[in-house]
Amino acid sequence: MQNTEELVRQLDELERSLYVFHHLSALVELDANTAAPHDTTVGRSAVMEYLSREQYSAFASEKTGELLRALSERKAELSARDARRVEYLKRDYDHMKAIPQDEYVAYDVLVSEAQNVWVKAKQENDFASFAPYLEKIVASQLRFIEYRDPEHKKKPYEVLLDDYEYGLTEDFLDNFFAEIKKTIVPLVHQITEHGRQPRTYFLHQEAPIEKQRELSDYLMDVLTIDRNHCAITETEHPFTLEFNKDDVRITTHYHLNEVMSSFYSVMHEGGHALYELHTGDDLRFTALASGASSSIHESISRFFENIIGRSRGFCDFILPKMKELFPEQFKDVVPYEFYKAVNIAQPSLIRTEADELTYCLHIMLRYEIEKGLINREIEVKDLPQVWNAKMKEYLGIDVPNDSKGVLQDTHWSGGMFGYFPTYALGNAYGAQMCERMKQDVDVEACCAKGDLKPVVDWLREHVFQYGCLMDPIPLFEQYCGAKFTPSYYCNYLKEKYSEIYAL
Amino acid sequence: MQNTEELVRQLDELERSLYVFHHLSALVELDANTAAPHDTTVGRSAVMEYLSREQYSAFASEKTGELLRALSERKAELSARDARRVEYLKRDYDHMKAIPQDEYVAYDVLVSEAQNVWVKAKQENDFASFAPYLEKIVASQLRFIEYRDPEHKKKPYEVLLDDYEYGLTEDFLDNFFAEIKKTIVPLVHQITEHGRQPRTYFLHQEAPIEKQRELSDYLMDVLTIDRNHCAITETEHPFTLEFNKDDVRITTHYHLNEVMSSFYSVMHEGGHALYELHTGDDLRFTALASGASSSIHESISRFFENIIGRSRGFCDFILPKMKELFPEQFKDVVPYEFYKAVNIAQPSLIRTEADELTYCLHIMLRYEIEKGLINREIEVKDLPQVWNAKMKEYLGIDVPNDSKGVLQDTHWSGGMFGYFPTYALGNAYGAQMCERMKQDVDVEACCAKGDLKPVVDWLREHVFQYGCLMDPIPLFEQYCGAKFTPSYYCNYLKEKYSEIYAL
């Protein structure tokens, strides 16, 4: 019988090897999205398949099972941190082990192929070419759900939700979306009918890319991001990728005529980066060394993007910098006007370009569709018409083609069913968190001064440092000191938009 | 007993896994040199150590030994290609297997650390901080030589030469350097004493980086490089990195006041890239899927950089493009003047900035020093004074500090003893190859028209497609139709520089 110390040493070793797989997979993905030439998928696919197979062999092995069992039995002897590592890994182990290795690897190959097909389908507005892949992905997911939850303890879609927000239920989300819909839809109608749209022409003038890069550097500084541990680069779609807490990468995309696009991408991805950079030192290279969940992560990124970045104070603070970098474009712009312009609310086609108010409607539509797919109430072939009908219903918009409709997002091509709701939930989490933060920090003053250090310090103490030490829902309740309710978010939107549009 | 077909299938599988290790190690290296933030070595080291250990386990195993033995015994049943794969892998296997796994991994960790120490030592002109690492590296290499060649069939340094140019001997190199020294040293003296240096001021004016990037794109086109399979990016020191024949990366570095620096880096690295892009399709993902040796590789890159890129014809062809991109800088420059300026010969401190004529003297000095280190005739602590004395003797130059002297190159920090001679040999290989090529291709006309396709086609047919199917020396003799002699290179230098300097 091995002693507990030796078992923990084996756990360290296992986690170290999982870290290596994580690092290498992330690196292959980063390279594919940044530096790799166009026609290079063959070599990369061979590598991804190998990594997938090896990771399965290393992790979903009898040896791992025995180690986790042995450690679980000695939970009393373990530190709280180590006990959590075992609990957390056990969950991942059970998930992976439930799926046969060949199916696991084949699925990784499938989604990798599907993403290439999706890119082309989106470019060519050709949903039909993508549909067979999506059908296979949905079929795989349905099979995996059966493997993972053979006794049907959860609803099928909830098995997938667990991957992004452990413990999230359909009922919870149904209520959540019903609640925010009650706030958002009337507000959108009021604005569409009675609101006077602000001038925004200055946001759509040519803004030299070099100057936009300078702006990114400035924003990284304002966000207090340590550039020795966080690089920023350029990709088609912005994202954040973390290797470990000392090595985080964010990306942005510069649009010549949309200076605020990259601005808010940097604020958003910068929020994700801050979270990873400030997870606890003692979690480094363990399974707990990352943000607690997708919703919590989005609550941070959307907080920096919107609640901070689109606040009156921050807009006033940043305008002089905009005038310095883009003197011609911003010369006639006065503070309140800038604030109103970056907060314009207008139903639109593309989720990633949606404003803060209508954003959650885009998510609600996706939530309903993917729930329908997983519950076999919607078929893949019907997706375009279902999509277009919901866009008309929720946003009052006609979708001109599938590229700007059902094909716009990458998530489904990557099999990420259950991720979308975390965007909306993140918005609402962030609003409630901010109210709690205000008890300790003068958030408005921080925005007005562009001094975000007190905000980041609060987040490090109450959120970031915990990594995955706690499940997201209890963690949220701990730092907010209350259960979640969408009312903070609804109130925030109502107050903000009533004021801006003088409703 | 397994049948031969099954054994070849196992060989495919082994090579596929070696490909994955190659791809991943290259990717980690590329990332470290391009996108990674500064303070991120901890995670990367963990990954490199893991890869090193796993690669050893996968390759230097009993299983591999048995497979290679079984295939060797059935050589008669194998295709020429498969027989060569076995022969080639067996050599690598013997080399790796000779070194105990822990020492192998520890050495990889040591050189990874040493490279970080070297970067700092060079920045801070502090040879003493680097010396202990270099001592350990030399000691490791001496131990490895003993492991690899316990019966002393070769001279110690020749064991290392085998890694870069299989079959190369010390005698061969001693003769080679003696021969080219006889040509170069008098030429350098004549130029220093009697030659009139051309005007070069226009090469040292500010040249906007954006325009230099355009120039790179143009040169990539002229080189006929398919950008769908070859990306160009920016690093501190230019290099080429190949994942597979469909995925090659080159890098350059833009110096605001040295427009020709990146120009010739692109020509040089572009040459390396062309080689990899045009290795045979049937070698893809096998052990033979790369250039035949460092010398052959350098013969191609230096050929494009110098024999093509610094030819009268190519200079005349490219000057109008230079005038188009940098009108102010090049407005008064006439063709012959441009040609002379890019061919200026002048003893200088830094190898990578050396001109075509004095370049080999820099290599000769390094050759003599590393041979001395491996033969225990020179001690690490004495390197600065040995270096400086040789610089004075061969190039007539006083070395102001170690950063610009013994610390200038990265090779020794990476344990790459035996690589330097291949640079000089490559120059001479290229000159002889070019004479052979001229029997089939009007090289001068190609340069003058900027139409390099016939040149690339010839190289693909006679050199590139073979990958590692043949050892470098027989391959060279096959495509040149003769044994190697330095006389082609010596004549080339004599003719070229006598004309330019009217000697």
Side-chain angles (χ1 to χ4, degrees), chain A residues 16-17 20-21 23-24 27-28 31 35-40 43 46-47 50 227-231 244 246-247 249, chain B residues 16-17 19-21 23-24 27-28 31 35-40 43 46-47 50 227-231 244 246-247 249:
Chain A
R16 184 58 75 114
S17 70
V20 171
F21 286 111
H23 186 116
L24 292 173
L27 197 52
V28 173
D31 178 61
H38 195 255
D39 287 346
T40 52
V47 170
Y50 185 92
R227 299 293 288 271
N228 278 324
H229 295 295
C230 182
N244 58 72
D246 291 324
D247 190 356
R249 322 290 174 91
Chain B
R16 185 58 74 115
S17 71
Y19 171 73
V20 171
F21 286 111
H23 186 115
L24 292 172
L27 197 50
V28 173
D31 178 61
H38 195 255
D39 287 347
T40 52
V47 170
Y50 185 91
R227 299 295 287 272
N228 279 324
H229 295 295
C230 182
N244 59 71
D246 291 324
D247 189 355
R249 322 290 174 90

Side-chain angles (χ1 to χ4, degrees), chain B residues 168-447:
Chain B
L168 200 57
T169 65
E170 248 181 61
D171 282 350
F172 178 95
L173 284 176
D174 288 342
N175 289 334
F176 167 68
F177 280 111
E179 204 57 45
I180 61 172
K181 191 174 159 188
K182 271 195 281 184
T183 298
I184 296 174
V185 170
L187 268 173
V188 173
H189 281 158
Q190 278 180 282
I191 290 171
T192 313
E193 282 157 34
H194 310 296
R196 206 171 129 197
Q197 291 296 11
R199 299 200 303 174
T200 61
Y201 73 94
F202 46 92
L203 302 182
H204 309 297
Q205 291 176 300
E206 280 199 9
I209 304 297
E210 266 315 314
K211 291 288 168 186
Q212 293 199 46
R213 288 199 186 100
E214 265 185 61
L215 178 59
S216 294
D217 288 335
Y218 181 74
L219 291 172
M220 295 284 273
D221 285 347
V222 170
L223 286 167
T224 75
I225 290 174
D226 179 354
R227 299 295 287 272
N228 279 324
H229 295 295
C230 182
I232 179 168
T233 173
E234 294 167 39
T235 51
E236 185 62 29
H237 304 283
F239 61 83
T240 299
L241 196 150
E242 120 285 353
F243 294 99
N244 59 71
K245 70 164 287 179
D246 291 324
D247 189 355
V248 179
R249 322 290 174 90
I250 73 170
T251 76
T252 188
H253 188 96
Y254 298 108
H255 298 270
L256 188 60
N257 287 293
E258 296 289 342
V259 66
M260 299 314 287
S261 171
S262 169
F263 182 107
Y264 285 113
S265 289
V266 174
M267 293 297 289
H268 181 98
E269 307 304 338
H272 283 307
L274 282 168
Y275 196 169
E276 294 296 332
L277 290 163
H278 292 304
T279 49
D281 283 341
D282 58 336
L283 306 180
R284 205 189 313 239
F285 301 132
T286 76
L288 310 178
S290 192
S293 75
S294 303
S295 300
I296 306 281
H297 239 303
E298 289 298 325
S299 78
I300 302 302
S301 57
R302 301 282 295 175
F303 169 78
F304 281 104
E305 177 188 355
N306 291 322
I307 299 181
I308 298 281
R310 286 189 163 92
S311 68
R312 179 70 206 267
F314 196 77
C315 286
D316 289 1
F317 159 74
I318 209 76
L319 183 59
K321 190 73 194 177
M322 301 303 284
K323 286 177 184 273
E324 178 195 323
L325 290 169
F326 312 102
E328 270 308 304
Q329 297 86 333
F330 284 87
K331 69 169 177 244
D332 297 327
V333 182
V334 296
Y336 189 54
E337 188 177 22
F338 179 59
Y339 168 68
K340 286 210 293 184
V342 301
N343 281 295
I344 189 169
Q346 226 166 16
S348 61
L349 278 167
I350 308 295
R351 175 185 62 86
T352 55
E353 294 163 16
D355 57 76
E356 196 180 355
L357 182 64
T358 59
Y359 185 86
C360 283
L361 299 179
H362 291 265
I363 299 302
M364 189 168 70
L365 168 159
R366 286 155 177 77
Y367 166 64
E368 291 175 1
I369 289 178
E370 59 183 34
K371 202 173 59 164
L373 280 170
I374 299 301
N375 291 333
R376 303 181 197 230
E377 294 154 2
I378 297 175
E379 285 188 59
V380 166
K381 70 172 172 46
D382 300 326
L383 279 185
Q385 78 195 66
V386 175
W387 181 284
N388 298 352
K390 283 186 191 285
M391 280 300 285
K392 187 75 187 174
E393 185 189 343
Y394 299 147
L395 286 143
I397 279 189
D398 292 310
V399 177
N401 57 55
D402 292 338
S403 295
K404 293 187 171 175
V406 68
L407 284 172
Q408 68 181 265
D409 292 308
T410 181
H411 301 60
W412 294 341
S413 76
M416 293 166 75
F417 298 99
Y419 194 104
F420 278 126
T422 70
Y423 287 122
L425 200 53
N427 282 332
Y429 275 3
Q432 185 166 348
M433 176 186 78
C434 185
E435 283 312 304
R436 171 63 191 80
M437 187 191 290
K438 284 177 180 169
Q439 294 174 20
D440 304 321
V441 178
D442 187 345
V443 177
E444 276 175 36
C446 289
C447 289

Side-chain angles (χ1 to χ4, degrees), chain A residues 36-52:
Chain A
H38 195 255
D39 287 346
T40 52
T41 49
V42 180
R44 199 152 47 245
S45 299
V47 170
M48 290 306 273
E49 183 174 346
Y50 185 92
L51 284 176
S52 172

Side-chain angles (χ1 to χ4, degrees), chain A residues 292-413:
Chain A
S293 74
S294 303
S295 300
I296 306 282
H297 239 303
E298 289 298 326
S299 79
I300 302 302
S301 57
R302 303 279 299 173
F303 169 78
F304 280 103
E305 177 188 354
N306 291 324
I307 299 180
I308 298 282
R310 286 189 163 91
S311 67
R312 178 70 207 266
F314 195 78
C315 287
D316 289 1
F317 159 74
I318 209 75
L319 182 60
K321 189 75 195 175
M322 302 303 284
K323 286 177 183 273
E324 179 195 322
L325 290 170
F326 312 101
E328 270 308 304
Q329 297 85 333
F330 284 86
K331 70 170 177 243
D332 297 327
V333 182
V334 296
Y336 188 55
E337 189 176 20
F338 179 60
Y339 167 69
K340 286 210 294 183
V342 302
N343 282 295
I344 189 169
Q346 225 164 17
S348 61
L349 277 167
I350 308 295
R351 174 186 62 87
T352 55
E353 295 162 15
D355 57 76
E356 197 179 354
L357 182 63
T358 58
Y359 185 86
C360 284
L361 299 179
H362 291 266
I363 299 302
M364 188 169 70
L365 167 160
R366 285 156 178 77
Y367 166 64
E368 291 175 1
I369 289 179
E370 59 183 33
K371 203 174 57 166
L373 280 170
I374 299 302
N375 291 332
R376 306 181 196 230
E377 294 155 2
I378 297 177
E379 284 189 59
V380 166
K381 71 171 170 47
D382 299 326
L383 280 184
Q385 78 195 65
V386 175
W387 182 283
N388 297 352
K390 284 185 188 285
M391 279 299 285
K392 188 75 187 173
E393 185 188 344
Y394 299 149
L395 285 143
I397 278 190
D398 291 310
V399 177
N401 58 54
D402 292 338
S403 294
K404 293 186 171 174
V406 68
L407 284 172
Q408 68 179 263
D409 292 308
T410 181
H411 301 61
W412 293 340
S413 76

